[in-house]
């Protein structure tokens, strides 16, 4: 497979910066591709190599990638020295970052055209086979449903009339599809999860996947909840507290944005156990934690003769270090799917997401089996 | 399927008493079969119903089952009131408990004949289709290898010569096989895991499974370790401390017995991750914990760009309440396998064990898939 | 010291029932006075003996104490068998429970007279030296300040005018003071913490203490926070999640009532460290936990050369079992103080409270030292 | 107070290097004296300022301090950049490090003379008012008692006869006393804790303190155990697992050395609670943890009516960052005590130690009160 473009919405954020720097480090042989699922021997060859990914994107902040990388290095996300070593790669990606869209800056109709143009220009300049747009920008509040979200014609009529009806993430998905690109919704925002946009993806024959990268507490939940089910142990409550700093934490300090995330987080357990379970999931912004997250979960369950037992876990992770390799995996898989002519929602990528689009499968092992089958299938397809 | 006998070695222990009482409770409709894997809708019908299990066994203590059940009730393992309510069932099982073998009480050759006779008598008295012998007696120290363990002829020659060469658990397995019964090794002891005994199982066409019921810390390990592997996160250390009271705890306070258990516990993680991992697993007898166990595990792992992260969990479980339903599952599955003509080691039952005989598969989800396939297969067999 | 009355507001609640039953158990020699601070050898003699406490109170539920005690026994708060054994004592206390006040049931002025009369009647019937009123009723939302709370004359003028201006807890404190009784505010509610009521306590020369019994997470905080201060380790964040069921949990499921509790909980750490600390304290109602509480706290701190470290703890307690002996301690201490002629706020009892009235001392060891000095002083007073 | 010398036994180890570097950082204004107890406003002035400490010591490794400091920086113990910034101070201390004593390298008699000479030479070269020797070298196995440890005359007779009877730590203490220096035993080794050496300290009128710096799990224990006692909650078991890497971890991987540490660790709880408590404390070397330590403790306790509850904590600390400022505190306090004419064991410094010499007081708050009184006393002495 030839070179593939990765276009980040939120290109100067922690996840995007870590992914950009990390790809450069792997290319330079300065780090193993640890944390990259598709680099495991369980996966067939045939995906674009990490060294052949080219980066660009949209953001609304001006802070140069080099500086962001230095900040991440001080925060312990990336090794000291690496940003300096790979400054050239960071600068190259930086030169491909364009201004994102902010409400008020022209109509969404005009913005969509401009954003799509930015992406197409990137593809052309680099002679890329294809580009995958990956949304790693700040989480939005949940979007209220609107009638025009149902059909593409209605949506485009509203946009043509100069009405700004789309949440930002969906505007980017719209632009990506118009530019003929695959799309990954790595945040809990709406993105492509509107019937009108699904229609557009079909029309343009582009694949997409989402929603909300599964990197921490929910990852563990999706590994542990099936155990209770398989052992016929009845889960009685599942409560959790997530403490995190960083830009993502600051965004989630806003209750509206946070509700997107908690909704997304709470789906997994009930989905796996097949019944609603008592308990809440809290998210607290704790500035002092920097780019790190600590999550505590407490589970009560009932066994034989109704005896009550409990399980607790504490997860201490670096979110961007967990997310970045998955973002590379997703770009590679979606690019390959696109190449193989797949389009519409890629439910087989559920393994990567807290709130998988196109399926209700939340159990990690089942998702992994499905992902492997998908990858094998892509590898086997005649091109 | 007609009535099936369950013959416990260690019939007055916590696990056996809880299983006997629990089966009576399920039969009486006093409790749901929670914790019984084979009662889940994932499993086909065709197994003997819990109500059709008949109990007996060997033990070396005289304490009546009623009294043991009362003790377990005070310890919070079984609901208050239940032992009284089901006293008749406990007494019936009690009447079928025979004196176990203690070293010095005659030769092993003689003991084997007597033990096999006890089991056969039980089968005959109750007109049972078949009996499954389940070892839930105290854990033994690991047995040193001996040349005569390799071939049945050599083993029987030594026994005939009056030499007591078998560890107790293997003596019971030998007696079970001679009585034409399936056997489950629920403890970490040697049991049927000798080539000579495998030979005998083939000869008598009886099935067996083991080893060491997977009920707590190792269960969680086998659910979590695959997650690290699937996400290409490199586990760097895995340490654990198990605190437990009860009879099992008291036995494991002896370093020799404990080493059987820790060996068994440490196999899972390395088996799943495919490489040895730094870290120890401790087992402490804490009398004050009674029949309850608390285990803490600490895992360090490495992600993208070698960033270090960690996971801890605390498991607070009631071991006998976790083990008892599995013991019923195993008896039902082995009886069915026996009925269907399966014999030798049943590697497909790995799901239930810390140290599965006949396979190296330790990952819980993979074990579960295999178990379901096995059960479906048994259901489908023409009888 | 002669017999002393303990009058519970919320006499049928978990704390009151446990205290009533527990005092009877200690009297009967059925349990040691474990958890009673004033029974330790650190305390001088001279307090009324637990066997000489007589119980009564107000409540708005009709559920008999026997039945509440049975429920607590099933929930593991009190030993099985004890409620039956001590049924007579429970019935005696039950016979002394009067209907509490509910808004709308007459003016507060009339209610205060009636409530005070109930208490005085109890004292007279039993010929008690004195009665201590202890509020262990459901937590109220924080009360908005009002001008008439400042001076007794203004408050009584409003009440005389038929205006219901007091929160329920303050109405009970008002009634207690009018009846010439000492008062303990064991909940986070307002109770006696109004200048007008302080004035009344002076006038009637009665002592009082509060607020919000310190039994779990905050107890640990007040033991651990001083350690950070003494070691010059700078605490950077302190976050917590409290999971609890029971009647108290159900009350706190209401955000307004919960805010009384979280305010009270958050004072301790900042009070001890002398500066505000980042982090929130959550309280979740988890019905499944019954009368038990699990709290997890996460602390980050900075040491030499600004290195970041952390501490977590998980507390698993039975709130009523922790609270009940303290309630007995408080009744005994306040009765003695009253006897010795002390009146007004007893700041020396801060050891027992999350939000101590009359002092800002939150450090546990300092509070303990002060409590011992107070008790010694009471013992030494010529009567 | 004029300049004071700090002579480290183990001068190139983690603790000594961090203390040396940290003192230089404080002097340069590059870091606040966080973690230094004696810098808190609770302490009177009068101690030598950190800027006036001069460093030297013994070690048996050649690795230069600069290099050790760089290693500690990579391990996250000290900030990146600091070793470079303060290279001059590190080099100055390095120039004052002399070869330690290794068994076989001459008699202990000769070694003591040489070691004492090294210390005296350092004092003279720098014109220091006094020098405090602080043992922060590798932990030794516990020393078997010997008759000659009882009286100085007997000990010196054995040494004069060319018999090497002292453990290394005691040899250093002997040399320090002979050189007229105060001594701090920061490790669990024997050091000055022999009657013969106490005699020598009296004779030379030098003060000493010890044993085993209290920086992590035991620190928390000594803050929490008094809470149980004060609340009359009966502790039933206390178990712990310490995971640590680094040089100290590697030393403690040896069971003999480890037993010194666990003995020292287990004294605190029983000492505070006044009765032995069930449960063990494990120490595991986990290389992967580098200079960091994770400790988990599990406590069960009994409250009112014998209800069982539990507390767990997880401590994640950087041992050297915790120890280094205490080492500076101790040097300052011992120097001042020496100046003020105090000699023999300084039991008032128990606050700093797991196994305090000269007292059985283990409760942190009581130790702190005693330390403050001691410091006030030293300040008040006419000089
Ligand atoms: N890190 C993880 O483990 C993880 C997991 C799941 C989901 N996510 C999601 O990924 C997203 C990124 O996380 P992060 O930690 O990198 O956050 P971040 O705050 O560091 O980065 C977000 C970036 O988005 C940019 N941005 C905001 N609005 C924009 C707009 N309208 N157009 C273009 N750019 C815009 C911001 O300027 C910023 O650079 C978040 O939504 C987060 O919830 C992260
Ligand atoms: N409970 C669990 O979760 C679990 C999980 C895996 C394995 N196990 C194993 O199951 C076994 C039973 O556990 P338990 O908690 O019931 O222990 P237990 O101590 O309560 O019971 C053991 C019983 O075995 C009897 N026994 C001892 N030696 C015997 C002999 N030679 N012949 C016959 N009987 C003998 C004892 O008298 C006792 O009644 C242990 O080996 C344990 O390690 C238990
Ligand atoms: N248990 C602890 O550890 C602890 C610690 C600190 C404070 N507290 C406080 O103690 C109080 C009691 O806790 P609990 O667990 O017993 O709760 P609970 O819900 O079991 O009992 C509360 C009782 O108060 C009664 N009540 C409600 N309104 C009343 C009114 N107006 N007049 C008279 N009675 C009324 C209720 O009917 C109930 O019987 C709560 O406010 C709780 O926050 C408890
Ligand atoms: N760091 C803490 O929190 C803490 C707390 C209590 C006690 N301690 C004790 O402090 C000591 C030092 O800890 P560390 O982490 O710096 O260990 P380390 O292994 O990094 O340093 C020990 C140093 O002692 C040197 N040494 C060994 N034998 C010697 C000898 N005979 N003479 C002179 N030097 C010798 C070694 O070469 C090494 O440089 C250990 O005994 C440890 O148990 C540390
Ligand atoms: Na879905
Ligand atoms: Na106060």
């Amino acid at each position: 497979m030839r070179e593939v473009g990765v276009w980040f919405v939120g290109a100067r954020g922690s996840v995007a910066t870590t992914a950009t720097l990390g790809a450069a480090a792997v290319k330079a042989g300065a780090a193993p591709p640890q944390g990259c699922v598709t680099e495991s021997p369980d996966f067939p060859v045939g995906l674009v190599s990490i060294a052949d990914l080219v980066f660009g994107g949209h953001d609304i902040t001006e802070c140069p990638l080099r500086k962001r990388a230095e900040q991440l290095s001080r925060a312990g996300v990336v090794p000291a020295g690496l940003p300096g070593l790979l400054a050239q790669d960071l600068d190259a990606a930086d030169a491909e970052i364009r201004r994102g869209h902010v409400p008020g800056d022209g109509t969404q109709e005009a913005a969509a055209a401009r954003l799509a143009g930015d992406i197409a220009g990137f593809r052309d300049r680099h002679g890329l086979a294809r580009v995958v747009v990956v949304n790693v920008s700040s989480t939005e509040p949940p979007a209220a449903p609107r009638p025009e979200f149902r059909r593409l014609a209605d949506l485009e009529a509203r946009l043509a009339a100069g009405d700004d009806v789309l949440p930002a993430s969906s505007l980017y998905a719209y632009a990506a599809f118009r530019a003929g690109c695959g799309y990954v919704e790595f945040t809990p925002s709406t993105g492509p999860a509107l019937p009108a946009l699904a229609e557009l993806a079909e029309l343009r024959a582009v694949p997409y996947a989402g929603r909300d990268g599964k990197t921490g507490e929910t990852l563990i939940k999706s590994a542990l909840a099936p155990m209770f089910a398989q052992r016929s142990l009845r889960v009685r409550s599942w409560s959790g507290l997530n403490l995190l700093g960083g830009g993502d934490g600051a965004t989630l300090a806003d209750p509206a944005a946070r509700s997107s995330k908690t909704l997304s987080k709470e789906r997994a357990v009930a989905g796996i156990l097949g019944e609603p379970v008592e308990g809440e999931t809290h998210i607290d912004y704790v500035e002092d934690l920097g780019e790190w997250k600590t999550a505590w979960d407490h589970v009560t369950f009932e066994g034989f003769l109704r005896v009550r037992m409990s399980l607790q876990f504490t997860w201490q992770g670096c979110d961007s270090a967990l997310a970045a390799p998955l973002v590379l995996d997703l770009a590679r898989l979606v690019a390959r799917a696109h190449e193989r002519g797949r389009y519409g929602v890629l439910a087989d990528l559920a393994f990567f997401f807290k709130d998988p689009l196109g399926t209700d499968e939340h159990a990690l092992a089942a998702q992994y089996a499905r992902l492997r089958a998908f990858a094998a299938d892509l590898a086997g397809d005649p091109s």
Side-chain angles (χ1 to χ4, degrees), chain A:
Chain A
M1 209 182 174
R2 283 189 300 127
E3 283 192 334
V4 161
V6 182
W7 185 266
F8 287 127
V9 183
R12 301 186 193 287
S14 296
V15 173
T17 307
T18 307
T20 305
L21 183 76
V26 171
K27 184 177 175 180
Q34 227 159 251
C36 286
V37 171
T38 51
E39 288 286 320
S40 121
D42 280 3
F43 284 82
V45 292
L47 301 177
V48 56
S49 110
I50 291 178
D52 288 333
L53 297 176
V54 181
F55 296 91
H58 284 119
D59 205 312
I60 57 171
T61 170
E62 301 292 323
C63 176
L65 273 184
R66 258 196 213 215
K67 206 170 146 193
R68 285 294 288 126
E70 289 295 350
Q71 288 165 356
L72 292 171
S73 166
R74 274 192 301 278
V77 182
V78 303
L82 211 56
L85 196 73
L86 303 168
Q88 232 175 322
D89 300 79
L90 291 171
D91 292 348
D94 221 25
E96 290 295 353
I97 300 181
R98 298 292 173 269
R99 193 171 36 84
H101 176 70
V102 274
D105 183 15
T107 64
Q108 287 195 333
E109 172 71 10
R114 201 261 295 167
L115 299 170
D118 289 343
I119 303 169
F122 169 68
R123 182 173 51 204
D124 295 348
R125 257 189 319 282
H126 292 271
L128 300 169
R130 53 195 55 79
V131 171
V132 180
V133 176
V134 182
N135 185 16
V136 284
S137 66
S138 312
T139 295
E140 301 163 357
R146 285 168 166 275
E148 59 270 25
F149 288 171
R150 281 195 228 117
R151 289 183 12 201
L152 181 60
D154 295 346
L155 175 64
E156 298 204 314
R158 288 298 304 270
L159 292 175
D163 293 337
D164 292 357
V165 295
L166 288 172
S169 59
S170 301
L171 178 65
Y172 283 108
Y174 179 61
F177 292 165
R178 277 181 51 173
C181 294
Y183 182 94
V184 174
E185 184 54 63
F186 201 78
T187 85
S189 304
T190 311
L194 299 175
L197 294 183
E199 209 183 316
L200 179 58
E202 300 266 325
L203 214 70
R204 300 285 172 124
V206 289
Y208 65 93
R211 190 157 69 169
D212 204 5
K214 178 159 77 172
T215 50
E217 188 205 25
T218 314
L219 176 64
I220 306 291
K221 282 179 168 175
S222 70
L224 285 178
M227 177 206 77
F228 292 108
Q230 290 161 2
R231 283 292 172 103
S232 296
L233 300 168
R234 187 154 178 229
V235 174
R236 299 297 311 242
S237 73
W238 198 309
S239 308
L241 176 56
N242 288 268
L243 309 172
L244 77 163
D248 193 24
T251 302
L252 298 176
D254 168 33
R258 191 161 63 221
S259 76
S260 291
K261 191 63 107 180
T262 50
L263 283 174
S264 170
K265 277 174 149 313
E266 287 173 354
R267 270 179 201 122
V269 168
I272 292 168
L273 301 177
E275 59 178 5
V277 168
E278 193 184 11
E280 284 168 58
T281 303
H282 301 270
I283 303 178
D284 279 10
Y285 176 54
V286 178
E287 195 191 348
D288 184 62
L289 290 179
E291 297 284 333
W292 289 74
K293 183 201 275 177
T294 295
W296 178 74
D297 271 42
H298 181 265
V299 187
T300 58
F301 60 97
E302 208 179 80
F304 203 47
L305 302 177
R306 294 213 171 88
V307 173
R308 292 300 167 84
M309 303 179 245
S310 77
L311 174 68
Q312 300 164 48
F313 67 82
T314 302
W315 168 263
Q316 293 172 304
C318 177
D319 266 6
S320 300
L322 289 159
L326 302 184
V327 156
L328 301 179
D329 286 323
L330 283 161
R332 297 167 81 192
L333 287 161
V334 170
R336 180 67 168 178
H338 195 181
E339 185 183 19
R340 290 313 191 204
R342 309 292 175 92
Y343 59 87
V345 67
L346 300 177
D348 293 325
L349 301 186
F351 178 71
F352 294 99
F353 300 110
K354 288 194 195 68
D355 180 20
L357 298 178
T359 175
D360 285 334
E361 183 57 80
H362 286 274
L364 192 70
Q367 291 173 335
Y368 190 66
R370 199 162 162 183
L371 176 65
R372 285 187 64 180
F374 176 72
D377 210 31
L378 288 185
D381 274 1
S383 61

